[in-house]
């Protein structure tokens, strides 16, 4: 079979697998399904047609909840109400989710004292807002042989903001930069 450059068959197949939508009513084509009614009572394993007939008698929808189970699990329920409850649960989960921002402060190995104070002031603001801070010292050329200077600088920097934040781990080398992560003190308690 020569498909040539036509990949539309792959796109359609992939979209079916990714979809978060549930199969309902006539979309369910399994021979046998495990059925649960709207009161959470198990009605047992039956044919797909019989389960659809039961749902039609109760004027509700048959929804495939767990398609990967053997046999697949279907519920008899009001699909509109079910979708509404699902969307409310997702919104609640988003509200409770905390977004962690990581701010980065970059310095060179030969930064002046005043510049270090300005960067510490900015870092202090970030930590007070509840953000994490990644402080890094970048080494250029021959500066790589003086990584101990960068380590001392980062420890001094962490000491300047120790009243609002603390180091997660000791300074570590990442490529041509030495890095520390600072977290707000209130986050650790």
């Amino acid at each position: 079979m020569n498909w040539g450059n036509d990949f539309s068959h792959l796109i359609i197949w992939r979209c079916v697998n990714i979809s978060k939508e549930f199969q309902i009513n006539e979309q369910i084509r399994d021979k046998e399904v495990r059925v649960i009614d709207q009161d959470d009572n198990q009605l047992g394993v039956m044919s797909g047609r019989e389960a659809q007939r039961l749902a039609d008698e109760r004027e509700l929808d048959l929804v495939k909840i767990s398609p990967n189970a053997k046999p697949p699990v279907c519920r008899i329920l009001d699909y509109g109400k079910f979708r509404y409850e699902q969307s409310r649960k997702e919104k609640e989960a988003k509200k409770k989710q905390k977004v962690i921002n990581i701010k980065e402060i970059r310095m060179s190995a030969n930064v002046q004292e005043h510049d270090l104070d300005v960067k510490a002031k900015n870092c202090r603001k970030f930590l007070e807002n509840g953000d994490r801070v990644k402080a890094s010292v970048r080494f250029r050329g021959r500066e790589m042989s003086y990584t101990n200077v960068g380590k001392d600088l980062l420890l001094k920097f962490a000491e300047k903001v120790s009243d609002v934040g603390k180091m997660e781990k000791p300074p570590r080398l990442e490529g041509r930069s030495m890095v520390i992560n600072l977290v707000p003190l209130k986050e650790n308690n």
Side-chain angles (χ1 to χ4, degrees), residues 77-90:
L77 46 80
D78 181 3
Y79 186 63
K81 186 176 177 182
F82 174 72
R83 288 279 311 269
Y84 173 73
E85 289 172 358
Q86 289 289 103
S87 67
R88 281 191 54 207
K89 285 179 186 175
E90 287 174 10

Side-chain angles (χ1 to χ4, degrees), residues 131-145:
D131 297 329
R132 291 170 168 239
V133 177
K134 177 181 176 181
S136 62
V137 175
R138 191 158 171 228
F139 301 106
R140 292 187 174 155
R142 294 185 190 141
E143 290 177 350
M144 273 306 288
S145 57

Side-chain angles (χ1 to χ4, degrees), residues 112-127:
Q112 298 297 315
E113 188 66 30
H114 176 71
D115 294 336
L116 190 65
D117 291 339
V118 170
K119 290 183 184 291
K121 182 180 170 189
N122 287 333
C123 180
R124 181 174 273 107
K125 272 193 250 177
F126 296 147
L127 291 170

Side-chain angles (χ1 to χ4, degrees), residues 8-72:
S8 61
H9 64 284
L10 294 175
I11 295 169
I12 293 170
W13 174 77
R14 182 154 166 69
C15 291
V16 169
N17 287 344
I18 292 174
S19 176
K20 285 183 82 174
E21 294 296 316
F22 296 96
Q23 289 182 347
I24 60 169
N25 297 331
E26 288 77 29
Q27 294 174 350
I28 301 171
R29 298 183 183 211
D30 297 297
K31 290 182 181 177
E32 283 191 333
V33 293
R34 182 176 306 278
V35 181
I36 301 171
D37 70 359
Q38 66 269 27
D39 301 321
D40 291 335
N41 299 324
Q42 289 210 15
L43 303 178
V45 177
M46 58 183 73
S47 71
R49 287 185 183 184
E50 190 176 338
Q52 183 61 50
R53 186 184 53 76
L54 270 174
D56 290 340
E57 285 175 4
R58 298 178 186 193
E59 295 181 357
L60 295 170
D61 300 306
L62 184 67
V63 181
K64 190 190 288 188
I65 301 295
S66 180
N68 297 331
K70 299 272 190 252

